[in-house]
Amino acid sequence: MQSPLPVRDGVNATRLRLPDEGPWDTAMDYMMHRWGHIDPQGIEDRFDAGEIVGEAGIPLDRATPLRNHTFIWYYRTLPPEIRIPVELNILHQDEHLLVVDKPHFLPTTPGGTYIQESALVRLRNQLELPDLIPMHRLDRMTAGILLLSTNPETRGKYQVLFEKRQVQKEYECVAAAEPAPGHPAVGFPAVVRNRMTKSRSYLLAEVIDGEPNAETRIERLRTFDGPDNPAEAAARRRALYRLEPHSGKTHQLRVHMASLGLGIVNDAFYPDLLDKAPDDYSKPLQLLARGIRFVDPISGVPVQYRSGLELSEAR
């Protein structure tokens, strides 16, 4: 549903669905029920200023009945954020697409504690492109090629490519050269196919029984020595891998590597969930979206974009 409010400071207005019924006479009563304990004066001020609107951009006031609108839109008060010390590199820009190298630690889209400090909001503000929309997502901890649409009129043509899996993606990662104890040897190239779902207990993905819905081809490119730190002298040799996903499940590559006993270096989720800790910018997840290729739906010409970033542990 199209928002009647424009993007402001790189951030979309928030949409709220009002309940069909309840003990609230007005829309403001309901918002006070939801968020009055946080900022009651701010809610009243927004209604008084006409900054909360319904369908077609109609401003609401304190007395607007709850039943008058199904959806309302408003701008959230954004908390201050500490800048993440990483930068985006623009690789390509035209009237339809923007291609960037997203660094580790920067989320693709705003959410949770990261609003201004997301790739999308940074780029909207930097390039003055309020209609900018990502065509796909990279995990916050994954770096590399990110494709965004700059033109709402042609956006659908590119979205179809992703929906029909006509976009080929290539990743690289650094992991152990040989599987962890208890895992069988792996012959490369290897193909991992299984059924994945989001865990109900935590923000993790897990493998379950059933028809496969996730597939990754894995190739070992080269091996090299592990850390030089004497305290880690017993570390297994490491390797650089090429990963080619043929589906796009959450954390798919991390789960598939871990399932082979080859957990990606600096992965705090797989194979073992570590205690939450502040970001250590010296130890990024060793996973990189190296390249993306497809036939451009506007020109009909095959195109390919490659990341200029390198994994810090890929010696």
Side-chain angles (χ1 to χ4, degrees):
M1 181 179 292
Q2 183 69 32
S3 171
L5 293 176
V7 170
R8 187 168 77 179
D9 297 329
V11 182
N12 295 86
T14 296
R15 185 182 73 176
L16 173 67
R17 183 186 180 97
L18 299 178
D20 295 328
E21 57 185 17
W24 312 283
D25 294 327
T26 67
M28 193 179 82
D29 289 340
Y30 179 69
M31 290 195 72
M32 284 293 191
H33 165 74
R34 290 286 300 270
W35 297 290
H37 63 289
I38 299 175
D39 184 19
Q41 188 61 54
I43 293 175
E44 292 179 349
D45 291 345
R46 281 183 172 83
F47 276 99
D48 292 343
E51 293 182 352
I52 299 178
V53 305
E55 292 87 345
I58 300 172
L60 281 65
D61 58 35
R62 298 190 186 204
T64 300
L66 179 73
R67 63 181 178 276
N68 279 21
H69 296 275
T70 301
F71 293 99
I72 60 175
W73 287 262
Y74 61 96
Y75 295 111
R76 288 177 290 172
T77 299
L78 302 180
E81 296 179 52
I82 298 175
R83 184 172 177 82
I84 300 174
V86 296
E87 300 298 331
L88 287 149
N89 293 322
I90 296 175
L91 304 178
H92 171 84
Q93 183 177 356
D94 60 33
E95 61 181 314
H96 306 292
L97 288 178
L98 174 69
V99 184
V100 302
D101 252 341
K102 186 191 81 66
H104 294 102
F105 301 104
L106 191 68
T108 297
T109 55
T113 58
Y114 303 99
I115 306 299
Q116 296 291 333
E117 285 303 287
S118 63
L120 178 60
V121 174
R122 276 198 191 184
L123 289 166
R124 281 177 171 177
N125 290 330
Q126 175 185 338
L127 302 176
E128 298 182 353
L129 292 173
D131 291 326
L132 198 64
I133 292 292
M135 292 287 89
H136 60 112
R137 294 192 182 191
L138 293 180
D139 289 343
R140 187 171 80 89
M141 293 303 185
T142 303
I145 290 291
L146 179 64
L147 212 69
L148 303 100
S149 164
T150 60
N151 188 342
E153 295 183 2
T154 60
R155 182 169 300 153
K157 296 181 182 294
Y158 292 93
Q159 288 175 328
V160 167
L161 296 181
F162 286 90
E163 292 169 359
K164 294 186 175 181
R165 297 184 181 178
Q166 295 175 347
V167 176
Q168 289 74 50
K169 300 177 184 178
E170 175 189 342
Y171 290 74
E172 290 177 1
C173 75
V174 174
E178 301 297 336
H183 291 266
V186 180
F188 296 101
V191 175
V192 178
R193 298 179 71 246
N194 52 33
R195 186 166 190 83
M196 292 179 55
T197 185
K198 290 289 291 291
S199 170
R200 294 182 178 180
S201 59
Y202 195 72
L203 299 177
L204 295 176
E206 59 184 357
V207 176
I208 60 174
D209 293 334
E211 183 69 21
N213 62 359
E215 178 178 331
T216 306
R217 182 182 185 274
I218 302 170
E219 180 180 356
R220 189 168 63 190
L221 300 179
R222 57 184 174 85
T223 60
F224 46 89
D225 291 334
D228 295 329
N229 187 335
E232 301 180 22
R236 300 189 304 275
R237 285 174 59 79
R238 292 180 175 178
L240 178 67
Y241 297 87
R242 176 186 293 126
L243 312 176
E244 297 177 343
H246 297 284
S247 51
K249 298 299 179 182
T250 299
H251 295 176
Q252 175 179 320
L253 302 179
R254 298 161 71 173
V255 170
H256 281 180
M257 287 297 292
S259 73
L260 298 177
L262 301 170
I264 297 174
V265 172
N266 297 333
D267 192 341
F269 281 14
Y270 310 97
D272 300 310
L273 178 63
L274 304 182
D275 291 337
K276 184 174 176 58
D279 289 338
D280 184 344
Y281 297 112
S282 69
K283 294 182 177 181
L285 175 70
Q286 294 298 288
L287 179 60
L288 172 69
R290 172 60 70 193
I292 192 169
R293 65 184 187 275
F294 53 91
V295 175
D296 189 280
I298 305 299
S299 67
V301 176
V303 295
Q304 180 174 212
Y305 301 103
R306 306 283 293 178
S307 173
L309 301 175
E310 297 294 339
L311 293 171
S312 59
E313 298 289 336
R315 301 184 180 186

